[in-house]
Amino acid sequence: MLNLERLRTLDALARHGSVSGAAAGLHITTSAVSQQMAKLEREAGQRLLAKNGRGVRLTDAGRLLAEHAARILSQVELAQADLEAQRGQVAGELRLSAFPTAARGLFPAALATLRAGHPALRVRSSELEPERGISGVVRGDLDLAVVLDWYNKPIPLPDGLVKAPLLDDPADVALPVGHRLAARDEVDLAEFAEDEWITWGEGEFCHEWLMFTLRSKGIEPIVGHRAAETHTQLGLVAAGLGVCIAPLLGRHPMPADVVTVPLRQRVRRHVYVVWRADADRRPSIRAAVDALRATAKEVSQAG
């Protein structure tokens, strides 16, 4: 008989690609992963791992069993969701992530609502960029992730995920108060061809969107500074070091020396929450989605 927890370890190893990654995803030690895999090999009667340099790789038998393990664990998730739905209880642990401005702009109110309405539910939250949040949900490390894409650059979603829209987040350009365009009612991105941009980290989805959008207008961006946090970006703008894109969500309070000007071609981010389809009937998932949507509605109306 194959042990379910050992199959879970094999699945994590296949998804993460390393013993250390599997250990981190399962919140256990690397030695525990190795011990579980050794026991699973004895149960299966075949070698499942082979050395690959300093790491390991799955053998043909390991890959075959990992494919079955993924299906088995999906069925277990579905069974647990059905049982939770039958009980109708919002309880247990719920792990969710959001990109930084959503974590600031949505999580405090939404998670407080969940705690007040469902005291038996333990919520664990973290800040993750959209791609990492989506990967965490796919791997099973997270139950939900609040992610985004832009009006002209959607982010691909893997099969097996469900999403619900939260809000459309308008974005302006943030300028120092003494900037030549600071008094304008609206501006065009092309007018910033000679300005230095303060943007997100290299490779981050929002940074790639800004580079794509500026280049589509024939502008080769001048990137002066990078910062993951909106408030850090705005602080650099206030110091006169450049301009940045400033979405509404999570940008308040604004520094006194910064003004925001709308773009002539309206720019919006689409913010939504994703989760696995096989967990769709879990009451805790539904409760979290409802709390996030209610908070997002209040934010949209206040904005």
Side-chain angles (χ1 to χ4, degrees), residues 127-157:
E127 285 188 4
L128 290 177
E129 291 299 324
E131 299 95 329
R132 291 185 62 199
I134 290 170
S135 295
V137 173
V138 170
R139 291 195 307 265
D141 300 334
L142 295 170
D143 298 301
L144 303 102
V146 178
V147 300
L148 66 90
D149 57 25
W150 292 84
Y151 73 103
N152 61 342
K153 193 174 177 62
I155 192 170
L157 281 184

Side-chain angles (χ1 to χ4, degrees), residues 24-58:
L26 295 170
H27 305 291
I28 60 177
T29 64
T30 54
S31 62
V33 171
S34 299
Q35 291 168 14
Q36 290 280 56
M37 290 304 302
K39 291 177 182 177
L40 185 59
E41 285 185 327
R42 289 197 293 271
E43 290 173 350
Q46 297 188 62
R47 288 189 64 191
L48 304 176
L49 297 178
K51 288 193 175 298
N52 184 29
R54 294 184 177 180
V56 295
R57 60 173 177 82
L58 295 180

Side-chain angles (χ1 to χ4, degrees), residues 181-204:
L181 302 175
R184 292 271 292 276
D185 292 330
E186 59 182 15
V187 291
D188 191 282
L189 280 174
E191 297 179 272
F192 297 95
E194 303 303 321
D195 285 271
E196 285 195 41
W197 283 93
I198 298 160
T199 181
W200 297 267
E202 182 75 40
E204 289 186 14

Side-chain angles (χ1 to χ4, degrees), residues 4-5 40 70 78 98 115 129 134 158 178 218 255 270 283 290:
L4 184 62
E5 286 309 308
L40 185 59
L78 188 58
R115 172 173 287 186
E129 291 299 324
I134 290 170
H270 308 303
D290 289 345

Side-chain angles (χ1 to χ4, degrees), residues 8 11-12 15-16 24-27 73 77 93-96 132-144 161 275-276 278-279 282:
R8 197 181 302 280
D11 176 66
R15 288 185 285 103
H16 289 277
L26 295 170
H27 305 291
L73 293 170
E77 178 86 27
E93 182 173 276
L94 193 71
R95 301 155 300 168
L96 66 167
R132 291 185 62 199
I134 290 170
S135 295
V137 173
V138 170
R139 291 195 307 265
D141 300 334
L142 295 170
D143 298 301
L144 303 102
L161 296 188
W275 64 96
R276 294 186 303 281
D278 55 19
R282 286 178 58 190

Side-chain angles (χ1 to χ4, degrees), residues 79-290:
Q80 291 173 333
D82 283 343
L83 286 172
E84 283 188 30
Q86 187 181 51
R87 290 196 304 267
Q89 295 177 341
V90 180
E93 182 173 276
L94 193 71
R95 301 155 300 168
L96 66 167
S97 74
F99 58 95
T101 50
R104 182 187 306 117
L106 297 178
F107 270 6
L111 301 190
T113 297
L114 275 176
R115 172 173 287 186
H118 308 287
L121 181 66
R122 298 186 306 278
V123 177
R124 302 289 180 262
S125 70
S126 58
E127 285 188 4
L128 290 177
E129 291 299 324
E131 299 95 329
R132 291 185 62 199
I134 290 170
S135 295
V137 173
V138 170
R139 291 195 307 265
D141 300 334
L142 295 170
D143 298 301
L144 303 102
V146 178
V147 300
L148 66 90
D149 57 25
W150 292 84
Y151 73 103
N152 61 342
K153 193 174 177 62
I155 192 170
L157 281 184
D159 292 338
L161 296 188
V162 180
K163 72 175 183 178
L166 296 178
L167 75 157
D168 278 353
D169 187 26
D172 303 322
V173 180
L175 315 169
V177 290
H179 192 278
R180 68 187 187 282
L181 302 175
R184 292 271 292 276
D185 292 330
E186 59 182 15
V187 291
D188 191 282
L189 280 174
E191 297 179 272
F192 297 95
E194 303 303 321
D195 285 271
E196 285 195 41
W197 283 93
I198 298 160
T199 181
W200 297 267
E202 182 75 40
E204 289 186 14
F205 183 70
C206 288
H207 170 79
E208 296 304 318
W209 164 80
L210 181 60
M211 299 299 101
F212 165 81
T213 301
L214 291 171
R215 286 168 180 155
S216 70
K217 295 180 176 294
I219 303 169
E220 184 54 38
I222 304 169
V223 177
H225 305 277
R226 301 178 188 275
E229 286 286 343
T230 297
H231 282 182
T232 304
Q233 293 185 11
L234 293 173
L236 294 168
V237 172
L241 298 174
V243 301
C244 76
I245 294 293
L248 180 63
L249 182 64
R251 78 184 182 196
H252 295 294
M254 291 286 292
D257 295 330
V258 175
V259 297
T260 57
V261 181
L263 285 157
R264 187 168 293 115
Q265 181 188 16
R266 296 294 183 251
V267 171
R268 290 181 177 273
R269 304 190 300 183
H270 308 303
V271 180
Y272 48 96
V273 58
V274 301
W275 64 96
R276 294 186 303 281
D278 55 19
D280 192 48
R281 291 192 287 274
R282 286 178 58 190
S284 56
I285 294 283
R286 306 313 308 177
V289 171
D290 289 345

